[in-house]
Amino acid sequence: MMSLLLVGTFLLLIMIGIPIAFSLALASLLYLFIAGIPLTIIPQTMFSGINSFVLLAIPAFILAGNLMNAGGITERIINFANAVVGHIRGGLALTNVASSLGFAGISGTALSDTASIGSVMIPAMKKQGYGSGFSAAVTSISSTVGPMLPPSLPMIIIGTLASVSIGDLFLAGAIPGLLLATGFLIVTYIISVKRGYPKGERQSLSVVGKSFLGAFWALIMVVIILWGILGGYFTPTEAAVVCVIYALIIGGFVYRELKLKDIPVLLTNTLSSTASILLLVGFANLFGWILVSEGVPILVADGILSLTDNPFFVILLMVILLMFVGMFMETIAALVILFPVLLPVATSVGMDPVHFGVVMVLTLMIGLSTPPVGVCLFVASSFAKVRIGQTVKELIPFFAVAVIVLLLVSYIPQLSLFLPSLFE
């Protein structure tokens, strides 16, 4: 009964527009008052949730992304992508998707991708005659590729929660992320051909090579992260600090676009983003502690397994549940609350924790472009100055591809586990 009060209050607060973090906090506070539990449990539980050395990687990766972006990274990645695919029908839309793939190794978050790429690409697409809804849809859905590739903040969160190798999680998301990007490129091309969207001129090899060299120092950041972690040279947290130093050198001395006067603003933005994430993690940990104390994980596991113990249908039920949650809840909050709840169910049907982590992140990423709380959907539609409904209509074929990839990744574990197995 008390658990229903907790969850019901949380959902009600979300429905009336209270931010996720404060909805978690207020629902937890109400529960503690009614249950008569001392409020000293709040700081204790929140601190235990964020008192992790691994979580220090979050502000460092955010800062590295901000430094690279301020240093001219976005423009160079877009130029390289445009040089490679811009001559194909719908070239600017394809460039949008390809840019998101390249930018994934810099930001680690889908929302950063949407904001950075969308602010440049959406006006350019509209100017060349692409529909506003289509421009927003391509930008929104392609940004979901980012968290599947390193450095991925959701993967860092999962590694903290499950005590599994973050390096393995980074590798495990690579093939699913590339499959997702490939599917989006195919859909974008088919729609562009059907609608007769424009194409650019084919670039010479020298132009392609020059654009590649321009983006090379930014793209190599992913190699540094994986080489350092998998080679045992440094931890994920240390890798993040190395990336900050690398970003300072590349932005300040190679690209020469990062100025000393930019640093205070970038630090302030990093602190703001980090504070909001860690506050969310802290409140979600409190909420999750209450759920565990109420025995909700056991109830959920028993509930799912009482319906069926067939692994195929158990996985399907978890995917459906996560897709529904992703429509309403922010990704990190959903991970902190639901990963410990669903992991025992997943392992009971033979899913590897790394595999389940990838499936969960991929499922929740799709929710970032779905109403009613799809933040990437809102940001892209805002840049395109188009109604949400129009963007959602254009997103339908992309959703179909995303679901197909999700099902493939869910039921073919080797798509996730093949690359990590090579480094065992």
Side-chain angles (χ1 to χ4, degrees), residues 3 6-7 161-162 284-285 287-305 314 318 321-322 325 329 333-348 356 360:
S3 59
L6 176 74
V7 176
L161 293 171
N285 193 68
F287 192 86
W289 177 85
I290 296 174
L291 290 178
V292 171
S293 66
E294 284 287 317
V296 172
I298 297 175
L299 292 175
V300 172
D302 291 344
I304 293 177
L305 295 176
V314 170
M318 287 193 295
L321 172 62
L322 289 171
V325 169
M329 190 179 296
L335 287 174
V336 175
I337 294 171
L338 291 179
F339 189 82
V341 172
L342 294 177
L343 183 59
V345 182
T347 54
S348 72
F356 178 62
M360 188 167 187

Side-chain angles (χ1 to χ4, degrees), residues 162-244:
S163 298
V164 299
S165 168
I166 292 176
D168 285 350
L169 286 166
F170 281 172
L171 284 174
I175 292 178
L178 292 175
L179 283 175
L180 201 61
T182 302
F184 293 157
L185 285 169
I186 292 172
V187 172
T188 300
Y189 175 73
I190 292 174
I191 294 175
S192 297
V193 170
K194 183 178 179 181
R195 298 180 181 177
Y197 285 142
K199 61 179 179 179
E201 296 182 0
R202 183 183 294 272
Q203 302 295 327
S204 65
L205 288 178
S206 62
V207 172
V208 174
K210 185 177 180 180
S211 64
F212 171 73
L213 290 176
F216 173 79
W217 295 108
L219 299 175
I220 204 69
M221 182 184 275
V222 179
V223 178
I224 293 174
I225 294 168
L226 291 178
W227 171 78
I229 295 175
L230 297 175
Y233 297 103
F234 35 70
T235 66
T237 304
E238 292 165 346
V241 175
V242 169
C243 285
V244 170

Side-chain angles (χ1 to χ4, degrees), residues 250-332:
I250 298 302
F253 299 101
V254 178
Y255 292 159
R256 297 183 179 180
E257 293 189 21
L258 181 63
K259 307 301 180 184
L260 190 61
K261 62 181 178 62
D262 298 331
I263 303 299
V265 176
L266 297 177
L267 288 173
T268 301
N269 292 339
T270 300
L271 288 172
S272 176
S273 298
T274 302
S276 62
I277 290 174
L278 293 183
L279 186 67
L280 180 59
V281 170
F283 284 138
N285 193 68
L286 172 63
F287 192 86
W289 177 85
I290 296 174
L291 290 178
V292 171
S293 66
E294 284 287 317
V296 172
I298 297 175
L299 292 175
V300 172
D302 291 344
I304 293 177
L305 295 176
S306 68
L307 296 174
T308 177
D309 58 1
N310 185 306
F312 179 90
F313 290 108
V314 170
I315 293 173
L316 183 62
L317 287 172
M318 287 193 295
V319 166
I320 292 173
L321 172 62
L322 289 171
M323 288 191 71
F324 177 77
V325 169
M327 295 171 63
F328 295 92
M329 190 179 296
E330 199 276 342
T331 302
I332 292 178

